[in-house]
Amino acid sequence: MENYTIEEFIRKTQQDEQENDYFELETERILEVNLTDTVWAKAGSMISYTGQIKFERERMLEHGVSKMFKKALTGEGTSLMKATGQGRLYLADQGKKVTIFELNNESITVNGNDLLAFEPSIDWEIKLMRKVAGMMAGGLFNVQLSGKGRVAITSHYEPLTLLVRPGEPVITDPNATVAWSGNLTPEFRTDVSFRTLIGRGSGESIQMEFKGEGFVIVQPFEEVYSAGPTSS
């Protein structure tokens, strides 16, 4: 165990005053948002802020009727909050590692539980994998993000990116799958025989299969989450 004087600890852990990008990794598990207008973030992810920032939970009609209905149908899913104002905002989610992407007219699909924040310039669309709604708690809720701007996602421990090539599909555990390239549409495989061969339980009998060309991001952790209320 390391011992510090108070002054040494402050020097080692204090925020970097020189950083001024819109999204910055203050540490590998804390996202700093240098806010000048608005950012969308996972509800409950704020751990600290400075300046004049107002927080508002996503309203039912915030993003239009179609997205409201899609969100309501998911049952499970991530509620969003809108932070508006000027200042420094610090976001984190259960100590998970934060990764920042800068989209340049590209798209990425993120597991709803692993989306931490995104710029308001990003277009987003809720996706529900209906085929697995009866197999997994709440189904599988994802958000497809596209356009130009920054997106921050989270993962338990170090993520691994698997390349999907034509004729070489990649199969993953849904609970360990964090994100994938927006051009890919996963299919679901079920095989009861896997229950006694892989992992700790019956969950591994459901796998996501990615075909085509792109990438899949996985984490060394099976995150199981239950259905939760939608935002009001």
Side-chain angles (χ1 to χ4, degrees):
M1 182 176 180
E2 295 183 81
N3 295 314
Y4 299 99
T5 66
I6 291 177
E7 290 79 8
E8 288 171 340
F9 184 78
I10 291 172
R11 283 198 301 270
K12 185 177 178 67
T13 62
Q14 69 181 348
Q15 77 265 30
D16 187 346
E17 299 285 354
Q18 302 304 313
E19 295 180 350
N20 54 16
D21 279 354
Y22 187 76
F23 278 10
E24 291 276 1
L25 286 181
E26 188 63 26
T27 74
E28 66 175 11
R29 300 177 191 278
I30 298 176
L31 175 69
E32 177 186 281
V33 182
N34 289 287
L35 192 63
T36 57
D37 185 12
T38 300
V39 68
W40 284 99
K42 184 174 184 178
S45 62
M46 185 276 289
I47 59 171
S48 181
Y49 71 91
T50 62
Q52 300 298 316
I53 301 176
K54 178 183 177 182
F55 298 92
E56 189 176 2
R57 194 177 180 91
E58 179 191 19
R59 297 189 299 272
M60 185 65 78
L61 296 176
E62 183 82 36
H63 295 101
V65 174
S66 62
K67 288 185 178 178
M68 176 194 73
F69 283 127
K70 288 180 181 179
K71 191 176 184 76
L73 286 171
T74 65
E76 169 227 338
T78 298
S79 295
L80 297 174
M81 66 178 182
K82 179 169 64 174
T84 306
Q86 293 189 339
R88 291 190 176 190
L89 171 62
Y90 297 95
L91 305 173
D93 185 16
Q94 301 180 64
K96 294 162 69 176
K97 183 180 176 66
V98 180
T99 300
I100 301 170
F101 293 106
E102 184 159 358
L103 301 186
N104 186 17
N105 291 320
E106 300 161 298
S107 65
I108 186 172
T109 302
V110 183
N111 183 303
N113 204 47
D114 299 318
L115 179 60
L116 181 62
F118 58 93
E119 291 191 68
S121 59
I122 294 291
D123 293 324
W124 59 278
E125 176 92 16
I126 290 173
K127 304 285 186 180
L128 175 65
M129 303 299 182
R130 299 182 184 279
K131 290 184 179 179
V132 293
M135 306 178 203
M136 300 175 63
L140 191 62
F141 165 73
N142 303 304
V143 183
Q144 187 173 57
L145 305 118
S146 59
K148 298 186 70 172
R150 293 177 180 85
V151 174
I153 70 171
T154 58
S155 62
H156 286 279
Y157 311 108
E158 296 292 334
L160 172 68
T161 300
L162 305 170
L163 298 181
V164 182
R165 300 183 177 92
E168 300 179 20
V170 170
I171 293 90
T172 65
D173 181 332
N175 291 325
T177 306
V178 174
W180 56 90
S181 48
N183 62 299
L184 296 180
T185 301
E187 298 178 1
F188 286 84
R189 298 169 32 159
T190 57
D191 191 332
V192 176
S193 65
F194 276 104
R195 293 184 180 184
T196 56
L197 297 177
I198 303 176
R200 298 179 299 278
S202 62
E204 285 80 10
S205 65
I206 307 169
Q207 300 109 36
M208 299 176 75
E209 182 175 21
F210 296 87
K211 296 178 181 179
E213 190 167 8
F215 63 86
V216 183
I217 302 172
V218 294
Q219 62 185 4
F221 185 92
E222 294 181 52
E223 186 167 18
V224 180
Y225 35 84
S226 59
T230 58
S231 62
S232 58

